[in-house]
Amino acid sequence: MDYREAGVDIEAGRAFVDRIEEVVRETYRPGVLGGLGGFGGCFEIPAGYRQPVLVSGTDGVGTKLKLAHQLDRHDTVGIDLVAMCANDVLTSGAEPLYFLDYLATGKLNGEQLAQVVTGIATGCRQAGCALLGGETAEMPGFYQPGEYDIAGFCVGIVEKSQLLDGSQVKIGDVAIALPSSGVHSNGYSLVRKIVGDGGYGWTDCPEAFGGRSLGEVFLTPTYIYVKPVLSLREADIEIRAMAHITGGGLPENLPRCLGEDRAIAIDRAAWDIPPVFRWLAEAGNVQQSDMFDTFNMGVGFVVVVSPDGVDRTLETLKTQNLDPFVLGEVVSGNGEVLGLS
């Protein structure tokens, strides 16, 4: 008996690493030391920082992976993985430097997992960070055939004097919304229940989606906001806070970027809820309050700026092919999000 008979193919693992090496190298940026194959990835802190602070984050994709498995499409969830980590790190004012992934499966399928890693590399290029390394674990008997799970880890850097912690936010500051690309990677347990209980199939094409199937719509990857936000810094626009709108929606995530004795008043008339969320609410008979507590509802990221920086912020973001809008205003309070009902 050998390891292969027990379910782990070492040679297949080596072949997989060889297969993904080129796409990983395409993500490298200045600062990467060495290459694949070591016990750890090395990255040199960029020059020019006086008090560099490293900001790290980790996340997964959640049950959106179940949809990828069902449709046997694996080229987008890697983008989601990078987005969920890089967007979080970005909220501290940090520029993502490098990313690592952990990929676990019951039996290594080189073609399938190469698609996943290609998606991760695409996400890293969008975020401007290097895919520095990772781990692929073959765990027979732990996962169902054809299934895998992924987790990601991102590290960014920011000058200590520019680190955002909520203390910079002032009453009267303005919250500007950056639109989401769809459901992103949160709420998929509810999405799958609505689709399943409603008797829908992932290949169905509801009229609301203009000919696109449910599978296409719900596999749309999470938008990565790094480059648009960094363009604000390059334009010398002072950002006072940022929020990544993930699980818990606006009510849970907006207060996380505010300081003490602050709340935010939302202008609910500022944007139209995208069709995908209107369809979910109708198909699942979901109350509006539950929709806002679960999904991003069309707002993927929020930047808070001073009133005199609003026009320049909107103009700069529009040059990044985004359609931003004024979401609301910071007011006195205790972390409430007002005006959603």
Side-chain angles (χ1 to χ4, degrees), residues 183 185-191 245-253 277 280 286-297:
V183 181
S185 296
N186 301 103
Y188 273 80
S189 295
L190 180 54
V191 168
I245 311 305
T246 56
L250 288 166
E252 183 172 320
N253 290 286
F277 301 107
L280 283 167
V286 184
Q287 297 297 312
Q288 178 171 279
S289 59
D290 291 324
M291 290 294 296
F292 273 102
D293 281 339
T294 306
F295 301 111
N296 65 62
M297 301 299 279

Side-chain angles (χ1 to χ4, degrees), residues 81-109:
L81 184 66
V82 177
M84 297 306 290
C85 299
N87 288 341
D88 276 358
V89 165
L90 181 64
T91 62
S92 296
E95 176 187 358
L97 292 176
Y98 58 85
F99 186 87
L100 297 98
D101 68 88
Y102 173 79
L103 201 161
T105 186
K107 182 174 177 57
L108 198 151
N109 179 327

Side-chain angles (χ1 to χ4, degrees), residues 61-130:
V61 177
T63 60
K64 190 172 187 176
L65 285 179
K66 296 288 286 186
L67 177 53
H69 295 152
Q70 288 179 264
L71 294 176
D72 194 26
R73 181 180 172 186
H74 310 280
D75 58 336
T76 61
V77 290
I79 301 174
D80 287 298
L81 184 66
V82 177
M84 297 306 290
C85 299
N87 288 341
D88 276 358
V89 165
L90 181 64
T91 62
S92 296
E95 176 187 358
L97 292 176
Y98 58 85
F99 186 87
L100 297 98
D101 68 88
Y102 173 79
L103 201 161
T105 186
K107 182 174 177 57
L108 198 151
N109 179 327
E111 174 61 33
Q112 178 196 63
L113 299 188
Q115 291 182 45
V116 176
V117 175
T118 297
I120 293 173
T122 298
C124 285
R125 290 194 296 272
Q126 292 178 9
C129 62

